Amino acid sequence: MNQPLRAVHRRAFLGLAFVLPAVLITGLAARRPQVVASSGHSSQLPASAQLVRKSDTLWQKHEIHTNFYSSADSARILYVVLHPVQSVDEPDPLLYWSLTAPAASGVPSQAQLMGAFASDKTFALQLDEHRAGYLILYSGAHQAVIDFARVEKLP
């Protein structure tokens, strides 16, 4: 009784030894390359960019050198480059731009996500008629505001 079952079992595993690698290779060959959609908020600093403001004391809890650049190409876009003196040790830091101050519970609902925070990364701020607002560092893992900077009227 066990002998016929062992024979079937042996044939099934021998068949699977050829079928499973073939399925794996076919699946790897058929998958599409993953395209990461760019939000358009982070960019390179244009060649025509000029430093319009520099501050080391904007942030409440961290010492982050903040440089603002303008470009002759667009008057409504201002570029910001952040360079923390010490690394931000919170997990998954995100940078937001908001016209209103952040609450203790989190980021304001109308805040714009600029992207994942990284040292010396260039972010493009879309300015409105107020030309002022708040830069907010938010930890996605802790779901809490890490720090924020009040940016007064920009040139």
Side-chain angles (χ1 to χ4, degrees):
M1 180 164 118
N2 284 341
Q3 194 65 21
L5 291 176
R6 286 183 182 170
V8 170
H9 192 254
R10 187 179 320 114
R11 284 189 212 115
F13 270 92
L14 225 105
L16 287 175
F18 294 106
V19 171
L20 289 179
V23 168
L24 178 67
I25 291 170
T26 304
L28 288 174
R31 74 179 177 174
R32 292 180 227 141
Q34 183 178 9
V35 178
V36 178
S38 175
S39 64
H41 291 296
S42 65
S43 60
Q44 297 294 328
L45 199 59
S48 64
Q50 296 178 353
L51 183 67
V52 293
R53 185 172 171 193
K54 184 177 186 178
S55 180
D56 298 335
T57 59
L58 283 180
W59 297 86
Q60 304 295 316
K61 300 175 186 172
H62 294 86
E63 187 176 348
I64 300 175
H65 300 298
T66 309
N67 297 331
F68 295 96
Y69 297 89
S70 69
S71 175
D73 301 338
S74 176
R76 296 192 53 89
I77 296 178
L78 202 67
Y79 299 93
V80 62
V81 179
L82 305 173
H83 180 75
V85 174
Q86 295 176 345
S87 65
V88 177
D89 292 332
E90 298 292 331
D92 302 329
L94 301 172
L95 183 67
Y96 285 88
W97 172 251
S98 175
L99 296 177
T100 59
S105 59
V107 178
S109 61
Q110 84 284 358
Q112 296 175 348
L113 175 63
M114 303 310 296
F117 173 76
S119 181
D120 297 324
K121 184 176 177 182
T122 302
F123 298 97
L125 300 177
Q126 294 286 342
L127 298 178
D128 62 356
E129 63 276 355
H130 302 309
R131 300 187 70 82
Y134 293 85
L135 287 169
I136 303 168
L137 275 178
Y138 180 78
S139 172
H142 290 166
Q143 296 185 352
V145 173
I146 300 170
D147 201 354
F148 69 94
R150 182 170 186 256
V151 181
E152 295 180 6
K153 187 120 176 131
L154 293 168

